[in-house]
């Protein structure tokens, strides 16, 4: 299991939290995803054998947020 914390710009409210946590959480291989609005971070625990960090970043990007 891999743990990564991404810096993500543009998340501002509960809707953003749901959009990011919901979409990333649906990916096969993602064990846990947690948004911290104050720090503008997304912490993800995932199985590298099933999903790549690039796929996770793309998914966040597709929701309209800017992964640093
Ligand atoms: Cu929002």
């Amino acid at each position: 299991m891999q743990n990564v914390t991404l810096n993500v710009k543009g998340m501002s409210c509960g809707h953003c939290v749901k959009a990011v946590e919901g979409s990333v959480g649906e990916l096969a291989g993602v064990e846990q995803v947690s948004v911290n609005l104050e720090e503008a971070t997304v912490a993800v625990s995932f199985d590298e054998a099933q999903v790549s960090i690039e796929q996770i970043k793309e998914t966040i990007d597709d929701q309209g947020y800017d992964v640093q």
Side-chain angles (χ1 to χ4, degrees):
M1 197 64 58
Q2 186 90 1
N3 297 300
V4 171
T5 301
L6 300 166
N7 294 305
V8 179
K9 273 192 180 170
M11 303 183 298
S12 58
C13 69
H15 168 82
C16 302
V17 173
K18 273 191 181 168
V20 171
E21 289 184 349
S23 59
V24 174
E26 276 179 6
L27 294 171
V30 172
E31 187 81 3
Q32 209 181 341
V33 52
S34 172
V35 171
N36 185 320
L37 275 183
E38 277 183 17
E39 294 181 1
T41 57
V42 179
V44 191
S45 302
F46 62 100
D47 179 357
E48 303 158 279
Q50 292 188 69
V51 65
S52 70
I53 189 64
E54 289 308 321
Q55 282 175 280
I56 292 168
K57 286 180 178 176
E58 254 181 52
T59 300
I60 295 172
D61 195 70
D62 285 348
Q63 294 299 316
Y65 305 105
D66 193 9
V67 184
Q68 301 296 289

